[in-house]
């Protein structure tokens, strides 16, 4: 069964460093998302991406964050200068069409020290 | 602003019981509602998607209903099993998905 794949599963980084989280969405899907879940809190929307551009973003997704689909298969989230409060589980999701069933990856646990 | 609430926060039942998880949302102008399962430290597994025009969806022992006008959805799990133990999340979609905090279910053998 097709699935969304995320790498790495766990990343530890020092405060101020740049990190890139990687996702391979399901191959025929067109809509891509990043969400995050701080430990013990709700899953929160970060950004949606369609047709090679951001379609929606939350107030969390500030200038420190960026997304890219560099090669038609990968979908990446970059955090330029990580802060302690960026520590969370980051989930990538994809959908075949707008407002259809969303499929999530297993997540990347980011720990900023 | 859409707020999603799930009750109860935690539930412990003996194996074999039928149970109902509740989800409520404040803005009824949604496109769909999706139920997920999350195992500890893991990702979200999609269980059921209900479009705004639908009243319910079924998959195996799971049945989800949607009453959009009252801002409520329920997830019914029949004949619960220890393997059903997980956190169950509901998420409503207008533009982005808004999640509830989840119900942590424990099914005891």
């Amino acid at each position: 069964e097709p699935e969304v794949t995320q790498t790495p599963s766990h990343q530890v980084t020092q405060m101020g460093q740049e990190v890139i989280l990687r996702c391979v969405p399901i191959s025929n899907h067109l809509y891509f998302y990043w969400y995050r879940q701080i430990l013990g809190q709700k899953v929160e929307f970060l950004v949606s991406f369609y047709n090679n551009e951001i379609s929606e973003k939350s107030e969390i997704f500030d200038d420190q964050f960026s997304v890219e689909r560099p090669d038609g298969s990968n979908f990446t989230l970059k955090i330029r200068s990580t802060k302690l409060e960026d520590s969370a589980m980051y989930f990538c999701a994809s959908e075949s069409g707008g407002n259809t069933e969303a499929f999530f990856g297993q997540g990347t646990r980011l720990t900023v020290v | 602003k859409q707020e999603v609430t799930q009750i109860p926060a935690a539930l412990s039942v003996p194996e074999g019981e039928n149970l109902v998880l509740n989800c409520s949302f404040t803005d009824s102008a949604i496109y769909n509602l999706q139920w997920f399962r999350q195992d500890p430290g893991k990702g979200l597994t999609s269980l059921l998607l209900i479009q705004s025009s639908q009243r319910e969806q079924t998959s195996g022992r799971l049945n989800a209903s949607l009453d959009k006008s009252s801002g409520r959805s329920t997830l019914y799990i029949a004949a619960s099993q220890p393997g059903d133990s997980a956190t169950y999340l509901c998420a409503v979609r207008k533009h982005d998905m808004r999640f509830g905090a989840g119900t942590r279910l424990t099914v005891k053998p």
Side-chain angles (χ1 to χ4, degrees):
Chain A
E1 184 173 328
E3 60 181 13
V4 177
T5 305
Q6 291 185 242
T7 55
S9 57
H10 190 187
Q11 174 137 12
V12 181
T13 188
Q14 288 202 326
M15 191 169 52
Q17 294 296 304
E18 175 184 286
V19 295
I20 298 177
L21 310 184
R22 302 180 191 280
C23 170
V24 179
I26 294 172
S27 63
N28 62 343
H29 284 190
L30 301 175
Y31 294 77
F32 313 112
Y33 306 84
W34 284 101
Y35 289 81
R36 78 173 186 188
Q37 186 178 32
I38 295 171
L39 187 63
Q41 297 187 22
K42 292 183 179 183
V43 176
E44 302 173 287
F45 168 75
L46 293 178
V47 66
S48 59
F49 191 87
Y50 169 71
N51 201 25
N52 283 321
E53 61 183 23
I54 290 173
S55 45
E56 301 270 351
K57 61 181 181 178
S58 73
E59 57 273 12
I60 301 169
F61 194 88
D62 61 22
D63 291 345
Q64 292 299 310
F65 291 87
S66 62
V67 290
E68 199 176 36
R69 190 157 159 79
D71 56 12
S73 62
N74 290 285
F75 179 51
T76 62
L77 174 69
K78 181 192 291 187
I79 309 175
R80 284 189 188 78
S81 178
T82 49
K83 303 187 279 283
L84 294 176
E85 53 265 37
D86 293 328
S87 295
M89 184 77 99
Y90 287 80
F91 294 110
C92 172
S94 70
E95 298 175 5
S96 58
N99 304 321
T100 57
E101 187 175 9
F103 292 89
F104 281 69
Q106 290 298 297
T108 292
R109 180 170 299 284
L110 176 65
T111 303
V112 183
V113 297
Chain B
K1 182 186 170 185
Q2 179 75 272
E3 294 290 339
V4 182
T5 303
Q6 291 188 245
I7 294 173
L11 182 63
S12 181
V13 299
E15 182 177 5
E17 274 206 4
N18 302 324
L19 55 100
V20 175
L21 308 182
N22 297 290
C23 172
S24 62
F25 46 96
T26 54
D27 183 355
S28 61
I30 63 170
Y31 294 138
N32 61 45
L33 183 146
Q34 195 166 352
W35 283 93
F36 295 89
R37 169 187 172 134
Q38 185 176 30
D39 292 285
K42 302 293 186 182
L44 281 63
T45 301
S46 177
L47 298 174
L48 289 164
L49 171 74
I50 310 178
Q51 297 292 352
S52 62
S53 58
Q54 298 175 319
R55 297 284 292 186
E56 65 178 324
Q57 283 286 340
T58 297
S59 175
R61 294 182 293 109
L62 305 180
N63 175 278
S65 68
L66 175 64
D67 184 341
K68 203 175 74 156
S69 60
S70 68
R72 293 180 188 173
S73 176
T74 61
L75 179 67
Y76 175 82
I77 302 177
S80 57
Q81 302 170 357
D84 294 330
S85 297
T87 296
Y88 290 81
L89 303 175
C90 73
V92 297
R93 159 74 61 79
K94 187 167 183 180
H95 301 292
D96 54 86
M97 293 178 78
R98 296 293 172 102
F99 284 78
T103 293
R104 189 172 66 254
L105 173 66
T106 303
V107 181
K108 299 176 184 175

